[in-house]
Amino acid sequence: MILRVLLLLVSLFSCGTLCVAGESSPSDEDVQYFERKIRPILVNRCYACHSIDAKVLHGGLRLDTASLIHKGGDSGRAIVSGHPEESLLIDTIQYDSDIQMPPKGKLPDAEIKELTHWVKRGAHFPESLDVPEKKSRVINFVEGAQFWSFQPLREQSLPVVEKSQWLKNRIDSFTLHSMEREELQPAVSTDRTTLIRRLSFDLTGLPPTPEDVQAFVSDESPKAYENLIERFMASPQYGEKWARIWLDLARYTDRTEDWLLQDGLAHFYRDWVVKALNDDMPYDEFVHRQLAADLMPGTNPQDLTALGFVGLSPTYWKELQLPCEIIKMIVADEWEERVDAVTSTFLGLTVACARCHDHKFDPISSEDYYALAGVFASSRQIGRPLISEEQYQPVREAKAEIIKIQGEITLVKAEIAALEADKAKQQQATESKQNSSAVETPSEKTIPADEAPKASPATPQEKLEQLTAKIEELKSTPLFDTPLTNALSEESTFVERAGASPQEGTRFAYRPGPQDLPLFSRGDPNRPGEIVRRRFLTVLTPKPRPFENGSGRLELAHSMTSDAAPLAARVMVNRIWLAHFGQGIVNTPSNFGIQGSPPSHPELLEDLAFRFIANGWSIKWLHREILLSATWQQSTECSDRAKSIDPGNRWLSHMNRRRHDFEAWRDSMLSASGVLDRTLGGPSRDLEEQGNHRRTLYCTIHRRELSTTFQIHDFPDPNQHSSQRFSTTTALQGLYALNGPLFSEQSHALVTRLQREHPDNEAAQINRASWLLFSRPPTAVEQTLCLAYLSDSTGEERTNRWKQYTHALLASNETLFLD
C-alpha cells in the first residue's frame, strides 16, 4: 500500500505539473465575457450617472474605464477583484448597504448574478478602454481591412536558413528561421518508439499496440513513417479523435435542458462530424453543410444531420406568463449566442460584442451584428426526419393530433380529480348525517312508465379511455417511430402578446420566410431602430450584398469561404496546429481581431493557409504537412538556453510535452486493459454507467448537469463555444486517481488480461503491462521494484498487490502525459 501511495503522489505532482494560481492578464474569454454580459449592464443601468457621458458625475464614481472602476469613488474602492462579498459595488446593487443602486429600483436578479460572477472571476475590464476624455469612434472600414488577418493570402517565399540540412519541408524553413534569429538550435529528432506513440495519439486519440510499435521500429523502408501516417488517418478512430476537438467549438451536447422538449437525437450530428472528417470532406463544404445543408442542391434527408451545429444551440427558459417584453430579451440573447458561436468558430471574430454598440476594438459595427442576427432570427430550431417530408407528413399530422388530444386528456383528468374530490366531500357529509340522531329517509322518485330511459353521456373516465385509445391508434401510423435530427427550418420567430395587456402573457408565432431585424438600441429588442438588411460583414466585403435566398444561411456560409476565405483558412489552420503542438501560431484561436494575439510565425501561417485552400481545403493534407515536418518530429528535450530565453517554447526549438485530455487518458486505459468497445456511432451512454467501455466521445454530455468526472478533469462548458482546453492540477483529480471507480475497474481488468495472456509468468506480465501502457519494455529498476513488491505475498494478497501495482501504472505521469 505504501508503494501505491508513493507512486501515485510522485506521478501526480512531479515533473513540474503542479500549478499555482496567480495574477494574470485578461484572457480572450474574459474579454468576450465582459463585452457580451457585463458592458451591456453597465451601459444600460449605470453610465447615465457614472461615466464620462454623465451630465453630473454622481459620487465621484466612473465605471467606464478599467482604472477608474477599480479606483472607486467618494465612498471608497468599488471592487475587490475575486471577492464580491468585499466589493462595495455588489453591496449597493444587492441593496444590502446604506447606498442602494440604481436608486430607482433594484436590478433584476439575473443581472445581479452576472455582475457578482464577473467580480468573482476577477472583474476583468479591457485596459485599452481607458480614455481620458469623451470621444466618438467612427469605424473606418477601409483602414480596418488593412489588419493582417483580413488581408488576402499569398504563398510565401522561403526564408534563408543556415542549417538547411535539418529541413524536411516548407514548414521547417519558417520555424528554423525564427530559431536562428533567436540564436536557438532545433532539438534532435525523437526516437521511433516515441514518434509512433505521439503520432497514434495525435491522429487516433489511442495508444499504438505493442505490435505496431515493434513493427515500425524494425521497418527500415524509407516510406515507413509516411505509410504509418496514412494508415492512422485511414483508421475510423481518426474521425473520432478529431471530432471531439470540433465538438468543443460547436458546444455539442447529448442532452439539453430537462424542461425542453427535445425531439431530435443529438448523436446524429456527432456521428456526422466523425464521418465527414474520416471522409476528408473539404473544409469549405464542411462549413456550408453545418450552416445550410437543407438549402444546398442535391441534399437528402440524411444530410440534415449536419445542421446540429445550430440545431443544438442552447435554448433559454421562457416563462410565457411573463410580459412579451421580457421574453423578447431572452430570444434576443439566443440570437446573440448563435452569432457568437458561428463567427467565433468559423471566422475567429467576436462579432457578438457589437450587439449593444459598435465593436470597441475591431471594425465591426452594430449594423453588422444585426445583419447576421437576422439570419438566425429567420431560422427555427426543429426536429427533422431522416426520410422525405412527403413520407413523414402523415406522421407529422398524427403527432400534431396527439398533442391536441393530450391537451384534452389533461382537462379530462382535471375533471375526474374534481369529481373525486366532490365525491369525497359527499361521502363525508353522508357519514356525518348517519352519525346524527335525526336521519331523514329520502322519498323515492316515481318515473312515469311511458318515459323511455335516455342514454347517458360518456363519463369522464370513459372519455379518458376513448382519448387514450385514439392516441394508441395514431401511434400505429406507418413510420411513426422515424427518428428526428436536430435541424433548422426556414421560419421566422416572432414574440407577441397573448392578449391585449402585458398581464396576459406571451405567445410565439412562427411564420414562413425570412425577416430583417431592426437595430436594437443598446441591445434592447424593446427599443427598435432602423431595419438592417441581412448580409455579410462590411470589413470582409466592402460592398456587401443583401442576402436574398431565404434566411440567408447558405449565402452566409458561401461568404465565409469566398469573401472571408483567407480569414477562415487562417483560423482552421491555426486550430489544427494548436491540436498538434499544444499551442497555436495565434494563441487566441477564436480571436483573430485586434485584441487577439499576433502570430508567432506570420509567414508560416500565411503559407499554410494559402496552400490549404490550394489543396482543396483538405484537412488530411494539412495533417500530412505538419506531421512530416522536422519541427513536429523533434524530441521534447530542450537546451538550457531554450529554457532561459524561450521558456514558453514560442519558437518551437523542441516539441512540447503535452498532457492528455480526459478522453484520451480514459480511452488509453480501456485500450490497455483490453475492454475498449470500438463500435462507431450511436446513442451515448452515461460516463459512470457500470460496464460502459465505449470511447469517451460516446459518453453522455448533459448541458445543464455535466458529469462531475468531466468537470473535475477540465471538460469544457457545453453551454458555450470553447476555443481550447486548459489543464489544471487539483486535489480532486488526485483523489479521483486514488479512489475513482475508473482506476479500480481498469486495474482489475488489466490484471485479468495480463494473467490471461501470460499465466504463471510474472516477469512477462510486467513486461506486457509496460508495453500496453507506455509502448516500451520496463526498465531494470521497474522490473526489480515490482517483483520485490510482489515477492512476500501469496493468494488473495498477491492479487491485491497486482491490482495496486497496475493502479499506480494507470495513474502515472507516463500514462497522463505525451512526449
Side-chain angles (χ1 to χ4, degrees):
M1 189 64 185
I2 293 175
L3 172 66
R4 174 187 175 191
V5 174
L6 287 175
L7 283 172
L8 285 170
L9 290 177
V10 169
S11 73
L12 289 171
F13 300 110
S14 64
C15 302
T17 61
L18 181 62
C19 300
V20 179
E23 294 295 326
S24 61
S25 58
S27 67
D28 183 39
E29 286 75 14
D30 290 327
V31 173
Q32 289 191 48
Y33 175 75
F34 175 83
E35 292 296 338
R36 292 183 58 207
K37 299 295 184 180
I38 303 305
R39 181 184 293 282
I41 299 175
L42 297 177
V43 169
N44 291 328
R45 307 294 190 180
C46 309
Y47 281 7
C49 300
H50 298 289
S51 73
I52 196 171
D53 293 321
K55 292 182 180 179
V56 176
L57 185 66
H58 290 250
L61 175 64
R62 277 182 56 183
L63 302 175
D64 55 343
T65 75
S67 59
L68 294 178
I69 199 170
H70 285 277
K71 178 182 177 182
D74 298 341
S75 299
R77 189 175 180 184
I79 290 175
V80 179
S81 297
H83 299 281
E85 71 282 356
E86 300 176 17
S87 300
L88 181 59
L89 175 68
I90 303 303
D91 281 345
T92 60
I93 64 174
Q94 290 177 334
Y95 278 39
D96 286 342
S97 63
D98 294 336
I99 306 173
Q100 297 180 342
M101 291 290 163
K104 292 183 179 180
K106 190 176 180 181
L107 293 177
D109 290 343
E111 295 184 6
I112 294 174
K113 182 179 179 181
E114 289 290 1
L115 288 168
T116 304
H117 180 62
W118 171 61
V119 174
K120 187 174 182 179
R121 66 185 280 170
H124 297 296
F125 194 118
E127 288 288 344
S128 62
L129 295 182
D130 281 336
V131 288
E133 58 186 24
K134 181 188 297 187
K135 66 176 183 179
S136 60
R137 174 178 180 263
V138 178
I139 297 177
N140 186 325
F141 290 104
V142 175
E143 181 181 323
Q146 304 307 307
F147 190 64
W148 72 267
S149 66
F150 302 145
Q151 290 292 297
L153 285 169
R154 60 183 178 85
E155 190 171 21
Q156 301 291 303
S157 300
L158 294 179
V160 177
V161 295
E162 296 179 6
K163 197 175 180 180
S164 58
Q165 69 275 13
W166 181 75
L167 308 179
K168 290 182 182 292
N169 64 13
R170 292 178 65 89
I171 288 175
D172 301 325
S173 295
F174 297 105
T175 58
L176 182 59
H177 178 71
S178 297
M179 291 183 222
E180 291 179 344
R181 184 189 64 220
E182 303 296 325
E183 299 183 353
L184 294 168
Q185 294 293 323
V188 299
S189 298
T190 193
D191 62 272
R192 287 172 75 88
T193 297
T194 302
L195 186 62
I196 184 176
R197 184 173 175 84
R198 182 189 298 172
L199 184 70
S200 182
F201 272 109
D202 261 29
L203 288 181
T204 71
L206 294 170
T209 67
E211 294 72 24
D212 281 341
V213 176
Q214 293 157 11
F216 176 66
V217 170
S218 61
D219 189 345
E220 298 180 356
S221 67
K223 294 288 186 181
Y225 180 58
E226 289 89 337
N227 293 338
L228 192 63
I229 292 174
E230 297 305 318
R231 203 187 75 173
F232 283 150
M233 285 201 298
S235 162
Q237 283 69 50
Y238 160 81
E240 293 177 320
K241 152 73 179 184
W242 286 88
R244 183 61 261 175
I245 294 172
W246 185 260
L247 295 176
D248 282 5
L249 306 172
R251 67 265 191 267
Y252 173 78
T253 185
D254 291 289
R255 293 180 58 191
T256 57
E257 298 78 358
D258 291 334
W259 48 263
L260 180 66
L261 178 61
Q262 182 181 355
D263 50 6
L265 299 177
H267 71 267
F268 286 134
Y269 172 67
R270 177 243 290 149
D271 294 347
W272 179 87
V273 175
V274 172
K275 186 178 187 303
L277 293 172
N278 275 331
D279 294 343
D280 197 24
M281 178 181 287
Y283 180 66
D284 56 346
E285 182 181 352
F286 188 66
V287 174
H288 299 165
R289 290 199 176 277
Q290 291 183 78
L291 293 179
D294 56 326
L295 306 178
M296 296 173 66
T299 295
N300 62 60
Q302 298 294 326
D303 295 328
L304 299 179
T305 56
L307 295 172
F309 185 96
V310 180
L312 278 168
S313 297
T315 302
Y316 308 140
W317 171 252
K318 307 172 190 72
E319 175 50 71
L320 297 184
Q321 298 302 313
L322 293 172
C324 71
E325 288 76 12
I326 295 176
I327 306 302
K328 282 183 179 180
M329 184 66 78
I330 297 172
V331 171
D333 290 345
E334 291 179 340
W335 294 337
E336 177 189 341
E337 193 282 333
R338 315 298 183 258
V339 172
D340 179 65
V342 169
T343 58
S344 295
T345 298
F346 298 113
L347 299 177
L349 293 177
T350 57
V351 175
C353 294
R355 172 181 169 182
C356 302
H357 47 72
D358 289 347
H359 201 291
K360 291 295 182 182
F361 312 108
D362 298 333
I364 300 170
S365 66
S366 288
E367 288 82 0
D368 286 326
Y369 169 81
Y370 287 99
L372 296 187
V375 173
F376 301 103
S378 304
S379 306
R380 181 186 178 189
Q381 291 173 248
I382 63 167
R384 295 183 65 173
L386 300 183
I387 57 176
S388 70
E389 285 294 333
E390 292 75 17
Q391 290 175 295
Y392 194 71
Q393 186 57 32
V395 178
R396 195 180 299 282
E397 292 173 358
K399 290 189 173 183
E401 183 65 19
I402 286 173
I403 292 174
K404 179 181 176 182
I405 293 173
Q406 286 172 335
E408 295 178 21
I409 287 176
T410 300
L411 295 176
V412 172
K413 286 183 175 179
E415 184 180 357
I416 291 173
L419 289 172
E420 289 178 347
D422 288 342
K423 184 178 179 180
K425 288 181 181 179
Q426 291 174 3
Q427 181 68 25
Q428 185 177 8
T430 301
E431 291 175 356
S432 297
K433 288 182 179 181
Q434 290 174 348
N435 292 333
S436 66
S437 58
V439 179
E440 295 184 1
T441 302
S443 60
E444 294 184 358
K445 183 178 180 181
T446 303
I447 301 176
D450 59 344
E451 285 190 16
K454 296 180 180 179
S456 60
T459 65
Q461 186 61 42
E462 290 171 339
K463 289 181 184 177
L464 181 60
E465 292 171 358
Q466 292 168 3
L467 292 171
T468 303
K470 182 61 176 176
I471 286 181
E472 290 299 323
E473 181 183 343
L474 292 167
K475 282 182 178 179
S476 64
T477 304
L479 302 175
F480 187 87
D481 293 328
T482 297
L484 303 180
T485 188
N486 297 93
L488 302 170
S489 66
E490 293 285 88
E491 295 177 87
S492 294
T493 301
F494 295 90
V495 182
E496 304 172 341
R497 285 184 178 175
S501 66
Q503 290 73 26
E504 295 182 68
T506 304
R507 69 182 176 194
F508 284 98
Y510 302 101
R511 298 169 189 154
Q515 64 171 319
D516 290 321
L517 293 179
L519 192 152
F520 300 156
S521 177
R522 294 185 175 179
D524 186 347
N526 300 295
R527 300 173 64 190
E530 294 184 3
I531 296 293
V532 180
R533 294 290 304 275
R534 287 164 292 114
R535 57 169 175 76
F536 197 46
L537 300 176
T538 305
V539 71
L540 298 173
T541 49
K543 294 182 179 179
R545 298 178 300 277
F547 293 157
E548 303 289 353
N549 180 15
S551 65
R553 284 185 282 117
L554 184 57
E555 292 159 288
L556 171 60
H558 281 148
S559 296
M560 288 179 172
T561 57
S562 56
D563 296 327
L567 178 58
R570 290 180 180 107
V571 170
M572 190 56 181
V573 165
N574 189 66
R575 295 198 193 284
I576 301 295
W577 186 276
L578 167 64
H580 280 301
F581 285 92
Q583 63 185 33
I585 298 174
V586 174
N587 274 339
T588 52
S590 288
N591 190 348
F592 274 51
I594 293 171
Q595 285 290 294
S597 297
S600 59
H601 299 76
E603 295 82 7
L604 170 60
L605 180 60
E606 298 299 290
D607 192 68
L608 276 176
F610 176 88
R611 294 190 296 126
F612 177 47
I613 296 176
N615 282 273
W617 297 86
S618 169
I619 295 175
K620 287 189 176 181
W621 171 86
L622 186 54
H623 287 308
R624 291 187 193 97
E625 284 295 294
I626 293 173
L627 299 172
L628 289 171
S629 69
T631 307
W632 189 82
Q633 296 176 44
Q634 292 179 100
S635 164
T636 56
E637 299 300 322
C638 64
S639 65
D640 291 339
R641 177 173 177 76
K643 292 178 183 177
S644 173
I645 69 172
D646 186 23
N649 196 24
R650 188 71 168 150
W651 309 119
L652 300 173
S653 61
H654 58 279
M655 190 60 176
N656 295 309
R657 178 176 286 113
R658 286 174 286 151
R659 178 173 169 174
H660 289 305
D661 56 31
F662 178 72
E663 294 93 322
W665 194 28
R666 176 180 177 272
D667 292 348
S668 66
M669 294 185 211
L670 298 177
S671 177
S673 63
V675 300
L676 179 64
D677 180 355
R678 292 175 181 256
T679 303
L680 289 177
S684 66
R685 295 178 61 181
D686 286 345
L687 176 63
E688 284 83 10
E689 181 183 333
Q690 184 70 28
N692 180 7
H693 297 148
R694 300 207 66 192
R695 288 198 72 170
T696 315
L697 173 70
Y698 302 116
C699 293
T700 301
I701 307 301
H702 195 305
R703 178 161 280 154
R704 298 296 179 189
E705 299 175 17
L706 188 64
S707 158
T708 302
T709 300
F710 277 135
Q711 291 183 54
I712 66 175
H713 289 104
D714 306 311
F715 193 88
D717 182 357
N719 284 290
Q720 60 189 17
H721 164 92
S722 178
S723 61
Q724 59 184 315
R725 297 280 182 99
F726 295 96
S727 297
T728 62
T729 301
T730 68
L732 284 176
Q733 294 167 0
L735 290 171
Y736 183 85
L738 282 168
N739 305 306
L742 173 64
F743 288 85
S744 176
E745 292 169 6
Q746 296 315 307
S747 61
H748 177 77
L750 180 55
V751 170
T752 301
R753 177 179 187 175
L754 298 175
Q755 293 175 343
R756 182 180 67 249
E757 294 181 355
H758 299 282
D760 304 321
N761 188 340
E762 290 185 332
Q765 292 171 9
I766 296 170
N767 181 69
R768 181 65 169 168
S770 184
W771 273 105
L772 289 170
L773 285 168
F774 309 140
S775 303
R776 62 168 178 80
T779 65
V781 171
E782 290 169 336
Q783 185 97 358
T784 301
L785 182 64
C786 181
L787 289 173
Y789 179 61
L790 299 170
S791 62
D792 61 346
S793 62
T794 58
E796 185 176 350
E797 173 62 21
R798 197 173 189 85
T799 300
N800 287 336
R801 290 199 181 188
W802 260 110
K803 292 177 183 177
Q804 292 166 6
Y805 171 70
T806 55
H807 190 148
L809 295 182
L810 290 169
S812 67
N813 261 2
E814 198 166 352
T815 305
L816 181 58
F817 285 82
L818 179 67
D819 278 337

